[in-house]
Amino acid sequence: MNKHTSDRPPTRIALVGGGAAAVCLLDRLSRTPGRGRGTVTVFEPSGNLWRGRAYQHDTDAVLANIIPAEMSARAGDPDDFLRWLGETGLDHGAGDYAADGYFPPRWIFGSYLERTAENAVGELSLGGWPVRIARDAVVAAREAGQEVVLTTGDGQVHTFDYVVCAVGAGRPADHYELAGNQGYFGDPYPLRDTVAAVPETADVTVLGTGLAAVDAVVSLAAHGHRGRITMASRNGALPAVRQRPVFPEIAHFTPAALHAAAALGDDGRIGLGDVLDLLARELDGHGADPSVVLAEVFSLGEETPLERLRRQYDGIDGADVGLRVMQHVVPESGPDAWTLLRAEDQEFIRENHYRAVMSLCCPMPPANARKLLGLHEAGRLRVTGGLWNVKPLADSGFHIAADLGEYESDFVINAVSAPSHRVPERARPFVDSLVEDGIGEYHPYGGLRIEPSTSRAVGAGRPHRRMHAIGDMGAGTLFFTSGMPSVLERADDIVRAVVEDITAAAPAAPTTPQETRA
């Protein structure tokens, strides 16, 4: 470290939230040169430090939904998680892709996150960046000149140069106001506790048909449940089945190509036709038929959920690689495509194809699809759309109305999506204060408005260089925020922006006598 670097005042960074995003941020910061000296404070009031809600200790039936080769928490080192699995003596990610055991339980990935965080904290401390863990909830934030002041629930005040809002995803929305009723589980996780409280022969309805609902069903089955299970949602759309992966070299549907296409327009944006054209060229370059992918998007609802599941499961090794290319390219280029898309085209997709797009880009492992199909064939699983009412009965149980008719169920497990604002209840005072202070503003489709290239919070029409947001808090702007590849990319953007800002704010180095004479 040269004298000029050491003359900078220590930089103070706060991470509000200590889950997977915080791990990625710490690891990236620990390996970034030019950061000078500083401190990091991680505020995490829950018992799931480094794991977050997604990767907390839970039953082995709760699987990761992304292949191990794409779950590294280290930018630039995609094999890090796979190496860790091997070093730990675990064989997940090896052998037959479709077999049980290929996708690891999520709690195992949580253990990897803990290891990664511990290593990053050690590296940062050795490099002049001690990391402090504060087991307090942040309840307020305000700008004070060139600083951000945070207040915790115990009334303590802390001042920082940069703050990252990494509060994670919200809990399921209670659409039918069932909280407090016996037999109702408002949050499925941890599922080891939920399924243990459900009698083996009980009739169970799982609200939702997304990935969390799939977790609930396979966890019930793994625990020995023998009663009827109904998955019910408004749209009835199950996640697609993740096909056997391919790792193509992306040539056309790249972030650079998307930005180049946008630069040709008068408004710096692209239309849906431009996106589809680049995507068709990409698929065609890999010998895939673009119409097959488009048919998956536009045909949602033309089959029953279980017919679609069976067809997709049977096709995981299909000759056309279009969906496999999509599953590789969307995490890489999807956020760029979305943020460059014109507002009217974004609105069209949200209103007409949101569920289909989410189903394809957030697919389930083949092992889970096989378990759902087996339960259905045994007469123990139904899947329905058209859910419109759930109400408690006078004594116990619930009355449910959906497309398949009206029926009664003993237990209800709520596995629907988080509320549309996507802000966890515990973090709401903090995020509200950001908006009230003008540091940020709510996005109408969830979370905070952010600047796509840096994830800086946008308030009063401008990005605030000292406040960033990551994960579900950027869902309204970026659309694609789930999964480690997206989190890792956003963490890389944030650390780069912070270090560039630190460097730009540093005082100029003094001129030497020789330089003066020159």
Side-chain angles (χ1 to χ4, degrees), residues 8 11 13 25 28-36 129 162 456 465 468 491-506:
R8 299 177 192 164
T11 302
I13 297 176
L25 288 160
R28 188 70 184 89
L29 184 64
S30 74
R31 296 182 295 112
T32 300
R35 63 180 187 267
W129 279 74
Y162 302 94
R456 286 181 172 127
R465 53 185 262 265
H468 298 257
D492 190 53
D493 290 343
I494 290 170
V495 172
R496 184 185 301 110
V498 167
V499 172
E500 286 177 356
D501 198 65
I502 292 171
T503 305

Side-chain angles (χ1 to χ4, degrees), residues 177 217 347 368 390:
E177 300 181 349
V217 173
E347 193 67 24
N368 278 353
V390 183

Side-chain angles (χ1 to χ4, degrees), residues 253 255 258 270 275 333-342 346 480:
F253 197 74
L258 289 159
I270 52 177
V275 172
S333 303
D336 291 271
W338 180 259
T339 54
L340 292 170
L341 199 60
R342 293 190 178 98
Q346 290 182 349
F480 301 101

Side-chain angles (χ1 to χ4, degrees), residues 222-429:
H223 194 258
H225 185 266
R226 295 179 287 111
R228 184 181 68 177
I229 304 171
T230 304
M231 300 174 75
S233 69
R234 284 175 286 190
N235 56 72
L238 288 168
V241 181
R242 188 173 287 277
Q243 296 197 331
R244 191 175 299 278
V246 294
F247 302 97
E249 188 71 29
I250 305 302
H252 302 288
F253 197 74
T254 64
L258 289 159
H259 282 273
L264 297 175
D266 294 336
D267 58 355
R269 314 280 283 194
I270 52 177
L272 183 57
D274 301 312
V275 172
L276 294 177
D277 178 63
L278 286 171
L279 184 58
R281 289 165 61 189
E282 188 65 57
L283 294 170
D284 186 64
H286 299 286
D289 183 355
S291 66
V292 173
V293 173
L294 292 177
E296 283 289 352
V297 174
F298 296 127
S299 66
L300 185 67
E302 294 180 3
E303 305 162 285
T304 69
L306 288 159
E307 286 172 346
R308 181 173 181 260
L309 183 68
R310 166 58 69 185
R311 176 178 58 78
Q312 290 181 339
Y313 178 74
D314 289 342
I316 61 173
D317 287 312
D320 191 281
V321 298
L323 287 177
R324 279 173 260 174
V325 173
M326 283 285 289
Q327 288 168 4
H328 181 77
V329 76
V330 165
E332 180 178 333
S333 303
D336 291 271
W338 180 259
T339 54
L340 292 170
L341 199 60
R342 293 190 178 98
E344 60 268 26
D345 289 319
Q346 290 182 349
E347 193 67 24
F348 172 79
I349 291 173
R350 288 188 193 276
E351 290 186 357
N352 298 282
H353 302 295
Y354 176 81
R355 292 299 171 190
V357 172
M358 287 294 103
S359 169
L360 293 174
C361 77
C362 303
M364 73 175 85
N368 278 353
R370 185 164 57 247
K371 290 167 187 171
L372 295 186
L373 290 167
L375 289 169
H376 173 64
E377 289 161 3
R380 292 164 51 199
L381 175 66
R382 308 183 298 177
V383 182
T384 183
L387 178 66
W388 65 273
N389 194 28
V390 183
K391 62 182 180 181
L393 296 171
D395 295 326
S396 64
F398 301 85
H399 178 272
I400 297 158
D403 277 351
L404 57 72
E406 299 187 20
Y407 68 97
E408 294 181 0
S409 199
D410 302 316
F411 289 83
V412 168
I413 299 174
N414 187 11
V416 302
S417 300
S420 59
H421 56 71
R422 292 181 178 266
V423 181
E425 196 61 34
R426 178 178 269 176
R428 195 66 192 257

